[in-house]
Amino acid sequence: MKQWLKDAVFYEIYPQSFYDTNGDGIGDLQGILAKLDYIRDLGCNALWINPCFDSPFKDAGYDVRDYKKIAPRYGTNEDAAALFKAAHEKGIRVLFDLVPGHTSEEHPWFKASCKPGHNEYSDRFIWTDSCFASGDGMPFIGGETERNGTYILNFFKCQPALNYGYGKINQKWQKPTDDPACVATVEAMKDVMRFWLDMGCDGFRVDMASSLVKNDTKNKKHTCKIWRNIRDMLDVEYPEAALIAEWNGPRMSLKNGFDMDFYLEWQGNGYSWLMRNYDGAMDSNPHNIGKAYFCKDSGTGIDKFLDEYLPAYKATHKDGLWCFITCNHDTIRPSAGLTTDELRLAYATIFTLPGAPFVYYGDEIGMRYLPLPTKEGGYFRTGSRTPMQWDGTANHGFSTADAQDIYLPVDTAADAPTVAAQADDPDSLLNSVKSLLAFRHAHADLNADAPFKVLYAPKAKDDYRPFVWQRGDLICAVNPAGVSIELPLELAEDLKIQYTIGKAEIVNDTLSLGAQSFAILG
């Protein structure tokens, strides 16, 4: 594992919503550069920036028109180089978002692929051999090009799938993964990666990393082989470059080239039980049912999380990092289901568990999920992509543009959280995050790969549902319920409480935790 990842804490930025420096209502790279001190002072020393490449923005930049050009609304390639340089001077690494599975329908590769005569890009995408052919179970589009064929989509109509080949071949138009055309797709993606790494980028978050090869095996045999091939290139040419997979499959991702994988919100999984536990509705209304572990009155035990997490952690912790997120651009903000006091405990826990934590912009102040009409393919996700709330001025300091001209509306509630309002309040969520991350950075026992052991995780019994774990020589304990409890632990005589949220004390070698409290002993 890269040494710099041991102490890494990432800040995810949705660039169009972070900070606008030119008054056009859309955030830009200069805006990120202007806020690097804020990010560093928060305690984050690495960035993940959502797609900022040239795009028609039918899927918020996940429809790439030119992999080697910054979208003009964000700035220029020179701005990207300046951002890399300035971030590095402040000790901050920068990861870009790589979308290897598909392009925009406006990408020059795809336009060339649509032509009837054979050319270099004819097989860069997945085409059938007839204008009336179906997609063999995959979504497809026909009748829009001169070429006698239909083409396979990954998601929206605007996103033709790049051709990495098929694991199981059912149709004569499907190619094996070692076909020269499929190999050329891999090499083209390596070329894109080299372009940005040479400029100063520190690695990539990889969109839908598990889905390159169609009809792959259950264990993604062929897709995994591609990522091992790419990792071999990186190890030789860019040994410090990091890769994080959007996969939520650490047994596959971390053993096949990725340094990190995300523990993602999937309905009913361990992370969902820990932080969210919505009812699955996808209609801009998050319908939290109050059963997540950190909900004060949920009655849910930590076993709902640990039953899934522990086996995967034990199987993969020597291979890489399975990382926790506060949220991301595809997920309902956690404040939709957790109060500020509940958020403090949730953050304290995920910041002290193994892996490199990821803070989604605005979660540090408890920004709200807003029910909004779809924007740029966001649909229910749009409400988690609203502008960063910096202060109490117009547009909460995000932009000097007129309110009707900004990318998305800001939270207009009288009590909308802002950085400025919380900065001088020692009890604010913002300052809780700062102190938590400062403590993490000050203690190597909380490094991403430091030893982890569950010490106490009883089945829930009414309001008794604590969780205690060890990281190196530190002991962490959380009580999410609304009543005080005592923990039957054998504590070393020299153990002292090093950090607390709420009330915690050691009495007669017994740790007592107050209602909704968290403590670190060492």
Side-chain angles (χ1 to χ4, degrees), residues 423-436:
D424 296 326
D425 178 1
D427 296 323
S428 69
L429 183 61
L430 174 64
N431 281 313
S432 289
V433 170
K434 283 186 176 182
S435 66
L436 277 164

Side-chain angles (χ1 to χ4, degrees), residues 243-313:
L243 285 183
I244 180 163
E246 185 193 25
W247 197 313
N248 200 19
R251 290 178 176 88
M252 289 177 277
S253 60
L254 300 182
K255 294 180 181 294
N256 289 284
F258 285 92
D259 301 283
M260 300 173 280
D261 192 358
F262 290 113
Y263 200 175
L264 296 172
E265 161 70 13
W266 288 358
Q267 186 181 4
N269 75 348
Y271 176 78
S272 183
W273 277 107
L274 190 70
M275 290 276 290
R276 297 168 180 280
N277 204 241
Y278 305 121
D279 70 358
M282 299 289 228
D283 59 357
S284 298
N285 186 357
H287 298 296
N288 184 281
I289 59 176
K291 289 298 182 181
Y293 176 72
F294 287 109
C295 291
K296 181 179 72 170
D297 300 318
S298 71
T300 296
I302 194 64
D303 56 297
K304 296 280 192 181
F305 159 69
L306 291 177
D307 286 351
E308 179 180 70
Y309 176 72
L310 280 179
Y313 168 78

Side-chain angles (χ1 to χ4, degrees), residues 416-490:
T418 67
V419 171
Q422 295 189 18
D424 296 326
D425 178 1
D427 296 323
S428 69
L429 183 61
L430 174 64
N431 281 313
S432 289
V433 170
K434 283 186 176 182
S435 66
L436 277 164
L437 293 179
F439 189 93
R440 178 189 170 97
H441 289 306
H443 294 81
D445 284 329
L446 295 178
N447 278 356
D449 63 339
F452 166 65
K453 180 181 180 182
V454 173
L455 296 182
Y456 189 56
K459 296 282 187 181
K461 185 177 182 180
D462 299 322
D463 283 330
Y464 190 81
R465 45 196 186 91
F467 174 37
V468 185
W469 63 103
Q470 187 166 359
R471 300 294 313 283
D473 292 329
L474 295 178
I475 294 175
C476 305
V478 65
N479 171 28
V483 299
S484 298
I485 59 172
E486 291 188 351
L487 303 181
L489 301 174
E490 294 184 8

Side-chain angles (χ1 to χ4, degrees), residues 123-140:
D123 297 319
R124 181 61 52 87
F125 299 83
I126 305 173
W127 288 86
T128 69
D129 54 6
S130 168
C131 62
F132 298 112
S134 66
D136 189 31
M138 294 290 295
F140 66 95

Side-chain angles (χ1 to χ4, degrees), residues 314-340:
K314 290 176 180 178
T316 62
H317 70 93
K318 294 181 180 180
D319 302 305
L321 307 175
W322 197 19
C323 300
F324 291 91
I325 59 173
T326 62
C327 185
N328 67 19
H329 61 290
D330 286 334
T331 309
I332 305 295
R333 283 195 182 270
S335 60
L338 300 177
T339 67
T340 297

Side-chain angles (χ1 to χ4, degrees), residues 219-264:
N219 293 321
K220 303 291 184 179
K221 170 185 172 182
H222 300 282
T223 297
C224 287
K225 184 177 180 180
I226 289 172
W227 288 117
R228 288 197 304 274
N229 176 278
I230 290 173
R231 169 52 67 192
D232 288 343
M233 178 274 288
L234 293 174
D235 284 346
V236 171
E237 300 179 31
Y238 308 94
E240 289 300 298
L243 285 183
I244 180 163
E246 185 193 25
W247 197 313
N248 200 19
R251 290 178 176 88
M252 289 177 277
S253 60
L254 300 182
K255 294 180 181 294
N256 289 284
F258 285 92
D259 301 283
M260 300 173 280
D261 192 358
F262 290 113
Y263 200 175
L264 296 172

Side-chain angles (χ1 to χ4, degrees), residues 29-30 69-82 196 199:
L29 293 187
Q30 284 294 331
K69 179 183 178 182
I70 295 295
R73 76 184 196 180
Y74 300 136
T76 65
N77 285 17
E78 288 72 25
D79 290 328
W196 294 107
M199 191 180 291

